Amino acid sequence: METLKTNMVILGGGAAGLCAALGAVQVSSSIRLILVSKGLIGKSGSSRMVQGGFNAALKGDDSWKLHLEDTLISGEFINRQDLVSTLAKEAPRCIEQLENWGCFFDRKEGNIHSKTFGGQTKSRTVHRKDFTGIEVTSKLFDQLLAFEEQVLFLQECRALQLLQNESGAVAGVIVFDIRKGTLYLIQAKVVVLATGGAATLFSVKAPPMEKSGDGMALAYRAGAQFVDMEMVQFHPTGLVVPGTLLNGSVVEEGLRGIGGKLLNSQGERFMERVSPNHKECANRDVLTRAIYREVKEGRGTENGGVWLDLRELKEDVIKDEFPNMWKRISLLGKDPKSDLLEVFPTAHYMMGGIRINPYGQTSISGLFSVGEDAGGVHGANRLGGNGIADSVVFGLRVGQNAAIAAINESELQRNFQLSLEKQCNQLKKKLQSPFLNEKGVNPFYLRKKLEETMSQLAGICRNEQGMISALHFIEKLKEWHPRTYINGNLSYNLALQEWLNVENLLIVASLIIHSALLRRESRGAHWREDYPEKNDRDWLSNIVIFKERDQEEDHQLKTKIEPVSFTMMSPETVNSRKSILPPETKLRS
Amino acid sequence: MKAYNNDLIAGGGINLVDVKIRRFHPGKDQHPYYSWFRVESAANQTVLDILTVILQEHELSLSFRFSCRTGLCGSCGMIINDEEKLACQTLANTLGQEITLEPLKNYPLIKDLTVDLTTSYSKYKKIAPAFAKNHDGSISGISRYLKHFPCLHCGLCYSKCKVVAIQPSFLGPISLHQMYVLEDLGKNPFSNYRKQMATHEGGIFDCMSFGCCGAVCPQSINPMESIHHLQHKWKK
């Protein structure tokens, strides 16, 4: 075991983590930080996979206020408004900053071009064809390489446990080196969680498999508060390719923006019926429910999807503006000019997460959170293009704030709750434990069962009875977990990684369901068939959920239901101004 | 003779493929060896799908790297039937009845099919890869830049490069392509430094123009062409 001491640790090598690191080194040349990434920095996680783009109000007829309004309407007004206004105000400046770092976005007549995305009154999604994520993450990493003296990269390492001092403040982290199979004990003044969400909990999903709510699980164990965990976004158009890992990968929203149509098995363009004004450009939650209903009511395809029809689009436009989509479609042997694509909603993003303030501080001293780890920005439904904007805007901001906090903290904490040696020994013993089982459950099987349970009982459509059954099954899986069998050794062992992933996913699954049981209404991504109506009278509120520090059992979860604070805009003010958005985006069941 | 590591030997259906995987864990194994698996291969399944089945159902200790599974991250590069490819972008049914999987070359091996891709970053860092703030980034430079597909840093070209194989100081296709992209963007403060770096030993004039790099690039980038542009710009 190696011991390291530093000012700050950032967990996560996606856009949020990279931006947090760049934000921190800008604060002072004296800042030293360690960037810990479970995969290769900039190459793992979801930021790399961003196809669509980055929302920023850049055009003359657009403004941060319209961006704010669209985000709040889409989020069904349970977003935390101070976070949304920060996002909308700072996004244009971040685009400028990104271009200064060599991330160039597509242009038309010299100006930055933007796409039309669902639920937005203006076309404000800035992009680089359909590989915006590669452009952003690779250029952020290039920039960071210049700060070699300040930043230590620990790639293919995962955090196992936060270190807390006697008063509960976070003072470091224990990290497992996936390649070597050894531990690092890192003492730090602050820790930033930027590991992403856990939408991989479902059978059909878009994010990379290694995203397993690690930051959320660490924060949960440390006693942090979570907000609106029931809000899990399903992207309406995930590819249906049974039996392959391409199943659930996203078909870019921009293709619907330029005229891609959704058809049921009877050939009907059902979005004309469901959302006559927006059709395929309606919000993601509207499309997801509509597709789910078509399939449920027997108008789906053989594989349980609907058709995406791109036949009327110009071949050159798809090839030129969506080259990765073209490649993916071609890989499947399809020709968009003659073949229909089979699609179904795919688990995509978690709007809920660790509760933060606009400085990225969590409820635990010394612990910051940013990106998909954190909740509150997107409310009940995230707009396409707001995800990477969130990671960059808050990444830079939270990185700076965490660095300032680290500078202000004069010394490393040394009075830990438990002796460091004891904590490390406990972890070593735990890591060895599945190798000692002579036979047992395979961790991949465990994950499959968890995914099936979540999809069937707590996915797109939920009810109380189903979710209670899901909780019971999750308890069973928690009992099975210690009996898992793994062979080989600790270094680069994918089964061991999956075992650790499942442990974290079980925590996040449980938080999602507990929160979803409390919200007795349907709002945005949270659709309850036993409470199908949106209920503004009782539920314009955030659900806060957490366990007390040192409390072991999660059936003693603490919950709080807090009314939303309408500091910028309320549903009434928007309605009274006769917002440009037609009624069905606001008044839906 | 094939000794299968799983029990799916019977069957003989047309969808069965034999997968031969090079195994080696430096420091643990004495010698590299091959494991054989017979697996079912369905339509649309990629090599990555097949590897995942082998891992989850037959060989829990097998190592390989992947992330996005859609050709965007460049993590799953390996040698598939003697050719550098991304496992997630290679359909199994295009490869015949026997598939041989080996780790990328020119990188230190971590375990089985996983190599340490980060080693080429030490060379990459040498060329000052970051876009500098006082770089002019002219519109014409940017419009040329936007026509390039971005490099995934998947390492396929670096593995295929015959010069890297015999001359470890060669900066290699990834770094030199990035150098060309940055220089093509317009005037910048690192030009002189990069010129010096590029015209020294291990730089652009050590490229032997085999063209292997461009042939394996999943993004259709041709690093050799980028190197030729730099050779023309900074003639000896």
Side-chain angles (χ1 to χ4, degrees):
Chain A
M1 185 190 67
E2 200 174 330
T3 303
L4 302 166
K5 287 176 185 168
T6 187
N7 299 128
M8 65 191 273
V9 174
I10 297 168
L11 304 177
L18 289 166
C19 283
L22 283 164
V25 294
Q26 282 173 345
V27 168
S28 161
S29 57
S30 67
I31 277 287
R32 297 286 177 275
L33 68 92
I34 299 178
L35 182 65
V36 181
S37 175
K38 191 174 167 184
L40 298 176
I41 294 177
K43 284 160 80 75
S44 60
S46 297
S47 309
R48 179 78 168 196
M49 295 173 76
V50 170
Q51 297 167 3
F54 186 123
N55 289 345
L58 296 177
K59 292 182 178 171
D61 64 341
D62 201 0
S63 70
W64 73 266
K65 284 184 181 163
L66 282 173
H67 187 178
L68 169 95
E69 183 177 315
D70 288 348
T71 305
L72 293 180
I73 291 171
S74 175
E76 306 262 21
F77 282 93
I78 59 161
N79 321 54
R80 196 170 146 165
Q81 302 204 351
D82 51 356
L83 297 178
V84 185
S85 63
T86 304
L87 175 83
K89 278 181 195 165
E90 293 187 10
R93 206 164 50 216
C94 285
I95 291 290
E96 197 186 320
Q97 173 70 83
L98 287 175
E99 288 228 324
N100 282 337
W101 283 335
C103 303
F104 296 114
F105 300 99
D106 282 355
R107 285 172 154 71
K108 225 169 196 177
E109 290 154 8
N111 296 319
I112 292 179
H113 177 254
S114 50
K115 288 185 200 178
T116 307
F117 260 24
Q120 308 202 106
T121 47
K122 304 285 173 191
S123 64
R124 68 168 74 91
T125 309
V126 173
H127 62 99
R128 168 108 195 264
K129 294 197 188 289
D130 64 351
F131 41 73
T132 313
I134 302 175
E135 180 71 7
V136 172
T137 54
S138 59
K139 296 302 179 297
L140 290 173
F141 189 40
D142 287 349
Q143 284 297 320
L144 211 48
L145 284 173
F147 293 93
E148 208 182 1
E149 285 182 8
Q150 286 178 262
V151 184
L152 171 68
F153 297 116
L154 291 183
Q155 310 212 51
E156 300 198 302
C157 289
R158 66 184 293 161
L160 295 181
Q161 189 170 309
L162 292 171
L163 300 174
Q164 285 176 286
N165 68 15
E166 282 167 350
S167 59
V170 165
V173 62
I174 302 177
V175 167
F176 178 61
D177 187 324
I178 293 171
R179 294 181 191 172
K180 295 187 208 154
T182 54
L183 295 179
Y184 287 105
L185 197 147
I186 309 175
Q187 282 181 256
K189 293 174 185 173
V190 295
V191 174
V192 180
L193 300 174
T195 64
T200 50
L201 268 168
F202 301 85
S203 303
V204 179
K205 65 247 178 208
M209 305 285 279
E210 76 268 13
K211 273 184 82 172
S212 52
D214 299 343
M216 290 185 183
L218 288 170
Y220 168 79
R221 292 193 198 103
Q225 296 190 358
F226 288 77
V227 64
D228 297 335
M229 286 296 283
E230 70 282 11
M231 295 300 176
V232 180
Q233 180 168 64
F234 284 77
H235 191 291
T237 51
L239 266 182
V240 177
V241 202
T244 83
L245 289 166
L246 280 171
N247 197 41
S249 61
V250 165
V251 181
E252 225 263 87
E253 192 159 329
L255 284 167
R256 281 181 277 119
I258 58 164
K261 294 174 193 159
L262 290 167
L263 308 175
N264 63 22
S265 59
Q266 295 160 5
E268 181 205 5
R269 189 180 177 191
F270 55 91
M271 288 312 293
E272 283 182 333
R273 165 168 42 89
V274 178
S275 176
N277 287 315
H278 288 104
K279 301 183 186 79
E280 284 80 5
C281 286
N283 276 342
R284 289 176 171 180
D285 54 345
V286 180
L287 281 154
T288 292
R289 289 188 203 190
I291 295 170
Y292 183 89
R293 274 201 184 110
E294 290 305 305
V295 175
K296 193 91 175 163
E297 290 168 10
R299 296 184 294 276
T301 59
E302 210 175 302
N303 291 318
V306 295
W307 299 115
L308 178 65
D309 183 358
L310 305 176
R311 290 175 300 185
E312 284 178 22
L313 304 186
K314 286 185 182 148
E315 189 173 317
D316 291 352
V317 175
I318 308 180
K319 266 188 189 163
D320 184 49
E321 291 180 22
F322 304 92
N324 273 313
M325 282 321 309
W326 182 269
K327 208 154 84 174
R328 199 171 303 170
I329 296 166
S330 307
L331 184 71
L332 298 172
K334 301 264 186 197
D335 177 0
K337 291 309 292 173
S338 52
D339 299 325
L340 298 169
L341 292 180
E342 209 168 349
V343 294
F344 189 71
T346 177
H348 188 45
Y349 191 91
M350 290 184 68
M351 277 82 69
I354 302 162
R355 197 183 200 197
I356 55 164
N357 67 13
Y359 304 99
Q361 285 168 319
T362 68
S363 52
I364 296 178
S365 176
L367 186 65
F368 292 74
S369 174
V370 62
E372 202 182 343
D373 269 6
V377 178
H378 309 289
N381 179 49
R382 177 177 68 85
L383 284 172
N386 266 355
I388 187 86
D390 175 353
S391 294
V392 172
V393 168
F394 285 98
L396 291 168
R397 192 180 165 84
V398 172
Q400 283 166 2
N401 292 321
I404 291 165
I407 289 169
N408 291 339
E409 194 73 49
S410 55
E411 279 184 40
L412 284 171
Q413 290 286 348
R414 289 173 208 283
N415 306 319
F416 294 100
Q417 276 175 326
L418 289 168
S419 87
L420 296 179
E421 198 185 332
K422 190 176 173 190
Q423 293 187 62
C424 285
N425 286 338
Q426 277 175 350
L427 281 175
K428 278 183 197 162
K429 213 170 150 188
K430 179 182 152 181
L431 291 167
Q432 290 289 352
S433 66
F435 295 94
L436 302 175
N437 294 330
E438 286 189 2
K439 57 182 189 179
V441 201
N442 170 333
F444 299 105
Y445 176 78
L446 219 59
R447 173 140 180 190
K448 194 172 157 222
K449 287 288 150 200
L450 174 62
E451 290 174 358
E452 284 169 5
T453 307
M454 289 302 284
S455 295
Q456 285 162 17
L457 303 171
I460 298 171
C461 188
R462 306 157 171 181
N463 63 47
E464 182 166 316
Q465 206 187 348
M467 286 192 285
I468 289 171
S469 313
L471 271 184
H472 287 310
F473 193 68
I474 285 169
E475 287 309 313
K476 277 256 172 323
L477 292 175
K478 283 182 184 169
E479 285 170 26
W480 290 2
H481 191 259
R483 302 205 293 264
T484 311
Y485 161 76
I486 294 173
N487 65 2
N489 52 46
L490 289 174
S491 50
Y492 225 105
N493 189 316
L494 298 178
L496 176 66
Q497 294 313 312
E498 190 72 326
W499 185 68
L500 293 165
N501 291 345
V502 172
E503 187 183 37
N504 291 343
L505 287 167
L506 284 166
I507 289 175
V508 182
S510 173
L511 288 173
I512 289 172
I513 299 176
H514 278 290
S515 210
L517 278 167
L518 281 173
R519 189 179 285 281
R520 293 191 172 91
E521 63 153 357
S522 290
R523 180 181 298 271
H526 176 67
W527 178 19
R528 283 190 60 161
E529 49 186 2
D530 46 352
Y531 297 95
E533 302 296 325
K534 184 166 82 173
N535 176 355
D536 273 351
R537 197 192 62 196
D538 301 324
W539 287 105
L540 270 172
S541 303
N542 298 117
I543 295 174
V544 178
I545 191 164
F546 59 103
K547 78 168 179 68
E548 296 283 7
R549 185 159 60 98
D550 302 332
Q551 183 187 306
E552 288 295 328
E553 298 300 321
D554 64 2
H555 52 74
Q556 292 167 31
L557 280 171
K558 303 264 186 241
T559 55
K560 290 190 282 188
I561 295 169
E562 295 181 353
V564 175
S565 175
F566 299 114
T567 50
M568 309 291 295
M569 208 173 267
S570 71
E572 288 74 31
T573 52
V574 170
N575 285 334
S576 66
R577 283 202 284 132
K578 291 196 173 61
S579 166
I580 321 153
L581 282 182
E584 75 263 19
T585 47
K586 280 179 262 166
L587 307 168
R588 54 178 165 258
S589 64
Chain B
M1 159 129 179
K2 299 170 192 172
Y4 290 98
N5 290 58
N6 62 335
D7 52 10
L8 199 69
I9 300 170
I14 48 162
N15 291 329
L16 292 181
V17 288
D18 289 341
V19 187
K20 180 186 171 191
I21 304 176
R22 189 179 194 269
R23 312 288 304 275
F24 187 47
H25 192 176
K28 301 266 185 331
D29 293 326
Q30 291 210 318
H31 305 286
Y33 61 100
Y34 285 91
S35 292
W36 284 88
F37 300 90
R38 180 165 275 192
V39 291
E40 284 180 20
S41 157
N44 288 332
Q45 277 197 324
T46 62
V47 169
L48 184 61
D49 289 316
I50 286 186
L51 271 171
T52 310
V53 170
I54 293 173
L55 167 73
Q56 299 186 359
E57 295 177 15
H58 307 296
E59 181 53 83
L60 283 177
S61 67
L62 178 67
S63 284
F64 54 97
R65 183 189 286 122
F66 75 102
S67 178
C68 80
R69 77 200 194 262
T70 55
L72 300 174
C73 72
S75 297
C76 63
M78 56 187 69
I79 299 177
I80 302 173
N81 288 358
D82 286 328
E83 190 74 19
E84 275 79 356
K85 287 182 165 143
L86 294 180
C88 74
Q89 296 293 290
T90 308
L91 286 176
N93 62 13
T94 61
L95 298 168
Q97 289 300 107
E98 200 169 289
I99 303 174
T100 305
L101 305 177
E102 291 163 313
L104 292 180
K105 289 178 280 196
N106 299 335
Y107 288 101
L109 182 74
I110 296 176
K111 188 182 164 191
D112 297 339
L113 300 173
T114 317
V115 295
D116 188 355
L117 279 178
T118 54
T119 53
S120 60
Y121 276 107
S122 53
K123 289 181 181 176
Y124 187 70
K125 272 190 289 196
K126 275 188 189 168
I127 64 126
F131 182 79
K133 263 189 180 161
N134 44 352
H135 195 298
D136 78 347
S138 64
I139 292 294
S140 62
I142 292 176
S143 40
R144 277 197 303 277
Y145 170 90
L146 290 173
K147 284 179 191 149
H148 291 292
F149 280 93
C151 169
L152 298 179
H153 286 272
C154 60
L156 301 193
C157 57
Y158 192 85
S159 167
K160 191 75 178 175
C161 179
K162 292 179 184 170
V163 182
V164 173
I166 52 167
Q167 187 190 333
S169 68
F170 183 50
L171 285 167
I174 303 172
S175 307
L176 292 173
H177 170 70
Q178 172 73 358
M179 190 189 276
Y180 163 68
V181 170
L182 288 167
E183 288 304 313
D184 195 43
L185 268 167
K187 282 182 191 157
N188 71 79
F190 290 101
S191 267
N192 282 339
Y193 166 75
R194 288 195 193 114
K195 182 181 175 185
Q196 203 186 2
M197 183 64 63
T199 50
H200 253 79
E201 194 208 321
I204 47 178
F205 297 109
D206 287 2
C207 170
M208 291 176 177
S209 303
F210 288 118
C212 319
C213 46
V216 294
C217 179
Q219 294 288 84
S220 309
I221 296 169
N222 189 345
M224 182 188 75
E225 215 169 77
S226 307
I227 294 170
H228 285 176
H229 282 297
L230 290 177
Q231 285 173 343
H232 183 72
K233 183 175 175 172
W234 290 324
K235 281 177 199 152
K236 265 182 182 168

